[in-house]
């Protein structure tokens, strides 16, 4: 089992939305995403999807998009993105998810010998648009990351690989330290995966010593999932 990642599928089968309005890099979407995924991912792989799965506003409308992802090779783990308005309570979501698809919210999941923790994240202090409302959401997301990391610590076994997955970058455009980077560095996972940033905005990827940092926005990857960890042995999900 390898671990790969690709974020921001931005699917919309129920109410199609042309992503080319966000730039030429989205030409051919979503077919390019499906083709790229099938070209890279094996059936026994684990694929991390760090948010912005569907443009749907309600869970029922997002189900076709979830089913389209589920039909692709590999087992999947999702976190919520800023556009995932359809995401309901975690219990309701897990009851509706297709087979071999997992969602993280205030907790963590183990697939094989890989433990995945994470949360949506938010824009960080020092960003030019960061305001009082953002400060409250930022603090809440840090609390959610704390809960997720605590659960990851509780379920991991010796030899497990641990990955933290965020939707937002864990820092601002100046790559300043944040509550996210501080917590992630202290926890010392094997890898950090994030997405969210598109097109000309470029990546906002900090250097975290000893931690592999993977920027996984779909358009930046030309719609082909990127390798996070090479082959691992396999256990049942926890």
């Amino acid at each position: 089992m390898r671990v790969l990642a690709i974020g921001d599928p931005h699917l919309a089968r129920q109410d199609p939305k042309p992503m080319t309005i966000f730039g030429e890099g989205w030409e051919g979407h979503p077919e390019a995403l499906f083709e790229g995924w099938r070209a890279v991912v094996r059936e026994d792989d684990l694929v991390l999807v760090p948010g912005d799965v569907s443009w749907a506003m309600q869970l029922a409308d997002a189900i076709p998009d979830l089913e389209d992802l589920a039909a692709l090779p590999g087992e999947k783990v999702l976190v919520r993105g800023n556009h995932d308005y359809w995401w309901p309570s975690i219990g309701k979501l897990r009851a509706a998810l297709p087979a071999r698809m997992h969602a993280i919210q205030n907790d963590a999941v183990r697939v094989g010998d890989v433990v995945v923790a994470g949360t949506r994240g938010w824009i960080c202090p020092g960003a030019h648009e960061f305001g009082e409302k953002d400060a409250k959401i930022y603090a809440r997301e840090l609390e959610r990351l704390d809960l997720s990391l605590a659960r990851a610590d509780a379920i991991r076994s010796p030899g497990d690989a641990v990955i933290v997955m965020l939707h937002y970058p864990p820092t601002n455009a100046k790559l300043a330290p944040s509550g996210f980077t501080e917590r992630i560095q202290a926890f010392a996972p094997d890898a950090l995966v994030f997405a969210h940033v598109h097109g000309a905005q470029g990546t906002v990827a900090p250097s975290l010593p000893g931690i592999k940092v993977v920027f996984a926005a779909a358009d930046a990857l030309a719609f082909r999932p990127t390798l996070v960890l090479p082959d691992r042995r396999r256990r049942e999900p926890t």
Side-chain angles (χ1 to χ4, degrees), residues 4-10 26 29 33 37 47-53 79 165-167 193-198 214-221 223-226:
L4 300 99
I6 187 165
D8 305 285
H10 284 295
W26 289 93
H29 174 273
L33 172 72
W37 188 305
V47 184
L48 309 183
V49 184
D52 281 1
V53 175
V79 293
M165 177 166 53
L166 304 175
H167 175 62
V193 174
F194 69 95
H196 179 68
V197 184
H198 299 304
V214 178
F215 174 59
D219 56 324
L221 300 180
F223 304 111
R224 296 170 69 92
T226 189

Side-chain angles (χ1 to χ4, degrees), residues 22-134:
F22 296 102
E24 294 179 359
W26 289 93
E27 191 70 40
H29 174 273
E31 290 78 12
L33 172 72
F34 300 146
E35 291 171 6
W37 188 305
R38 293 189 186 100
V40 173
V41 180
R42 305 185 308 221
E43 197 58 51
D44 65 342
D45 287 335
L46 175 64
V47 184
L48 309 183
V49 184
D52 281 1
V53 175
S54 172
W55 284 110
M57 300 297 289
Q58 301 294 331
L59 176 60
D61 294 331
I63 291 296
D65 297 327
L66 294 170
E67 291 176 340
D68 285 346
L69 281 186
L72 296 170
E75 196 151 353
K76 295 87 181 174
V77 179
L78 318 177
V79 293
R80 187 176 187 173
N82 60 304
H83 290 297
D84 287 322
Y85 297 110
W86 56 271
W87 189 292
S89 68
I90 191 61
K92 184 176 181 180
L93 175 56
R94 285 175 175 159
L97 285 176
R100 303 186 73 212
M101 184 173 282
H102 314 276
I104 295 174
Q105 184 170 305
N106 302 337
D107 56 7
V109 64
R110 189 173 72 203
V111 180
D113 66 345
V114 177
V115 175
V116 186
T119 189
R120 178 186 60 182
W122 198 248
I123 60 173
C124 294
H128 72 275
E129 70 270 38
F130 191 87
E132 184 177 347
K133 182 179 179 181
D134 297 301

Side-chain angles (χ1 to χ4, degrees), residues 106 119 141-151 179 183:
N106 302 337
T119 189
E141 287 297 313
L142 289 177
E143 292 175 358
R144 288 176 170 170
L145 180 59
D146 286 338
L147 291 170
S148 183
L149 294 178
R151 180 59 180 162
R183 283 160 170 79

